[in-house]
């Protein structure tokens, strides 16, 4: 006769040991859910969220938080997907802002025919999301599900420098666990990488770094036409950021370049003068032509839209912007704005 629990059917692998050890440590630090008055362990990017911003905002806050705590990347991506899916399938009515301030309501609806209704209060929603994440960690510590890793290993290095600017306005995204983060279970390997070169503030670059890849993942043609999904997501992210920019009176913008690796195919999309290089066997292969104001086709496009190109220490759009395309960065004048984006 034997006593105690039966032995496991197989000993845990090294990766499982590290995952279970991390979960145990995390649950020791957070032994119970946050109370109604307790703030989430991260700062929300805004006080109010539109429903279509929810998935990206929750994902971005959790990615940063779990990354700082040293969560194994595969575990972090899988946890976030499970928690975000649980939140999106629940009733978010309790988080709706009941009475928008008059200024917020006017700004929110100005010039928009299809503005989503029912703004959500970010802080209580983020707290609810963290508690959901905590709940899933407890369940997975007891019974860890099979976490499917990517089929191949990608060697990645990242370097960033602020130079002489007062604040770092650039952002990057590195997502070798794209499939796990969005629950894609087919046999196709996917990874996403992006660089966003912000100007006039950090808000546009932050927004693009949080939302663009989520828009790619949720695009209806992601599986059949990833190139179209990537291209459309630039414009969708721009449109979404402009709604927030009008509401919060933001003036920042960002150029960007994204690389979406789907098995053995590399899809590139960009706007502005952010660049990407491919070096193959020591040879540089040109993948893109950056959008610069001095390009004849860019000059003509901007002049056709009513803008102008002038030289002021460098070529600038309307005497200010040194880039000809960007997410965000509206130039406001008497409630009329000139978009510098272009398709």
């Amino acid at each position: 006769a034997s006593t105690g629990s039966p032995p496991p059917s197989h000993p845990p692998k090294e990766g499982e040991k590290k995952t279970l050890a991390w979960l145990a440590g995390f649950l020791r630090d957070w032994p119970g859910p946050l109370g109604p008055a307790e703030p989430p362990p991260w700062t929300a990017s805004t006080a109010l969220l539109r429903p279509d911003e929810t998935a990206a905002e929750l994902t971005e806050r959790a990615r940063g938080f779990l990354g700082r705590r040293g969560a194994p990347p595969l575990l972090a991506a899988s946890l976030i997907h499970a928690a975000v899916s649980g939140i999106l399938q629940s009733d978010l009515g309790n988080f709706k802002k009941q009475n928008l301030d008059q200024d917020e309501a006017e700004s929110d609806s100005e010039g928009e025919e299809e503005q989503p209704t029912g703004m959500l209060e970010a802080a209580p929603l983020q707290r609810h999301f963290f508690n959901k994440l905590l709940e899933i960690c407890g369940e997975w510590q007891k019974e860890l599900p099979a976490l499917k890793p990517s089929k191949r290993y990608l060697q990645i290095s990242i370097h960033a420098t602020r130079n002489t600017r007062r604040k770092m306005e650039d952002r990057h995204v590195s997502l070798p666990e794209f499939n796990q983060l969005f629950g894609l279970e087919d046999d196709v390997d996917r990874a996403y990488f992006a660089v966003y070169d912000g100007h006039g503030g950090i808000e546009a670059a932050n927004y693009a770094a949080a939302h663009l890849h989520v828009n790619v993942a949720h695009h209806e043609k992601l599986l059949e036409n990833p190139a179209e999904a990537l291209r459309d997501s630039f414009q969708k992210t721009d449109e979404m950021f402009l709604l927030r920019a009008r509401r919060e009176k933001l003036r920042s913008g960002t150029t960007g370049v994204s690389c979406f690796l789907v098995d053995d195919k590399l899809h590139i999309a960009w706007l502005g003068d952010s660049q990407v290089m491919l070096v193959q066997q020591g040879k540089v292969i040109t993948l893109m032509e950056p959008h610069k104001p001095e390009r004849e086709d860019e000059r003509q496009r901007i002049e056709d839209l009513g803008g102008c190109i002038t030289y002021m220490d460098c070529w600038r759009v309307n005497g200010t912007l040194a880039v000809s395309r960007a997410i965000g960065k509206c130039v406001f004048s008497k409630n009329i704005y000139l978009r510098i984006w272009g398709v």
Side-chain angles (χ1 to χ4, degrees):
S2 61
T3 59
S5 301
S9 58
H10 61 84
K13 299 178 181 178
E14 189 64 29
E16 292 180 4
K17 288 181 180 179
K18 292 181 179 179
T19 296
L20 291 171
W22 187 90
L23 287 171
F26 183 72
L27 292 168
R28 281 196 302 269
D29 293 341
W30 302 92
L34 298 176
E38 294 182 88
W42 53 67
T43 302
S45 65
T46 184
L48 294 175
L49 289 172
R50 299 192 315 276
D52 62 343
E53 295 178 305
T54 301
E57 292 291 336
L58 297 180
T59 296
E60 183 65 11
R61 302 286 82 75
R63 285 187 66 228
F65 174 72
L66 295 178
R68 290 189 297 271
R69 293 189 63 90
L74 177 60
L75 172 66
S78 303
L79 279 172
I80 293 169
H81 169 68
V84 170
S85 297
I87 293 297
L88 295 182
Q89 292 169 11
S90 64
D91 181 11
L92 300 181
N94 292 334
F95 306 103
K96 287 185 178 180
K97 176 75 171 177
Q98 297 302 318
N99 296 304
L100 284 177
D101 294 337
Q102 185 64 26
D103 290 344
E104 289 176 337
E106 291 176 357
S107 176
D108 214 33
S109 60
E110 184 177 317
E112 295 300 323
E113 296 181 357
E114 298 183 0
Q115 171 70 15
T117 58
M119 300 292 289
L120 305 175
E121 295 189 82
L125 176 59
Q126 297 275 11
R127 180 170 53 246
H128 178 59
F129 171 65
F130 177 77
N131 287 341
K132 184 67 175 178
L133 195 67
L134 198 63
E135 174 189 330
I136 294 172
C137 285
E139 294 172 354
W140 287 15
Q141 187 192 33
K142 297 175 183 176
E143 185 175 354
L144 185 65
L147 304 180
K148 183 180 179 181
S150 300
K151 292 186 294 185
R152 60 186 167 191
Y153 169 74
L154 299 175
Q155 187 172 0
I156 302 164
S157 62
I158 298 167
H159 176 74
T161 180
R162 181 174 55 86
N163 291 328
T164 59
R165 292 187 180 273
R166 185 172 62 90
K167 288 185 177 181
M168 182 61 165
E169 296 182 337
D170 304 338
R171 294 293 183 268
H172 69 270
V173 176
S174 176
L175 273 181
E177 296 84 21
F178 186 91
N179 283 353
Q180 294 83 356
L181 188 63
F182 297 110
L184 299 171
E185 298 181 349
D186 56 14
D187 201 37
V188 178
D189 246 10
R190 298 177 183 86
Y192 176 92
F193 306 94
V195 171
Y196 302 103
D197 186 352
H199 52 266
I202 63 174
E203 299 90 0
N206 280 344
Y207 196 93
H211 287 263
L212 206 151
H213 56 279
V214 177
N215 288 333
V216 172
H218 293 168
H219 194 282
E220 62 182 2
K221 293 188 178 179
L222 169 68
L223 302 183
E224 61 186 86
N225 194 337
E228 182 177 345
L230 185 59
R231 182 180 63 247
D232 290 353
S233 295
F234 268 81
Q235 185 158 1
K236 180 175 178 60
T237 303
D238 180 52
E239 293 167 353
M240 292 171 64
F241 178 69
L242 285 179
L243 293 176
R244 181 178 293 190
R246 291 191 189 98
R247 188 176 75 246
E248 300 184 2
K249 299 179 174 59
L250 306 176
R251 300 292 185 268
S252 61
T254 183
T255 64
V257 59
S258 295
C259 304
F260 191 29
L261 186 59
V262 181
D263 274 344
D264 59 349
K265 291 186 178 181
L266 182 62
H267 303 278
I268 308 291
W270 72 95
L271 52 79
D273 56 2
S274 295
Q275 298 188 47
V276 59
M277 296 173 60
L278 176 64
V279 180
Q280 191 173 58
Q281 296 180 347
K283 295 182 179 180
V284 177
I285 300 175
T286 300
L287 296 179
M288 53 169 286
E289 293 292 340
H291 306 120
K292 292 179 178 291
E294 59 266 34
R295 273 177 45 174
E296 185 57 36
D297 56 345
E298 285 294 273
R299 176 193 293 268
Q300 188 62 52
R301 182 182 67 83
I302 290 167
E303 289 177 351
D304 289 345
L305 289 171
C308 65
I309 304 295
T310 55
Y311 188 84
M312 302 174 63
D313 71 5
C314 67
W315 291 102
R316 294 181 180 273
V317 180
N318 289 356
T320 56
L321 292 176
V323 298
S324 62
R325 304 194 190 200
I327 287 174
K329 196 63 179 180
C330 294
V331 181
F332 287 85
S333 175
K334 296 181 180 179
N335 294 326
I336 299 174
Y337 63 92
L338 169 67
R339 293 307 326 288
I340 308 298
W341 195 81
V343 178

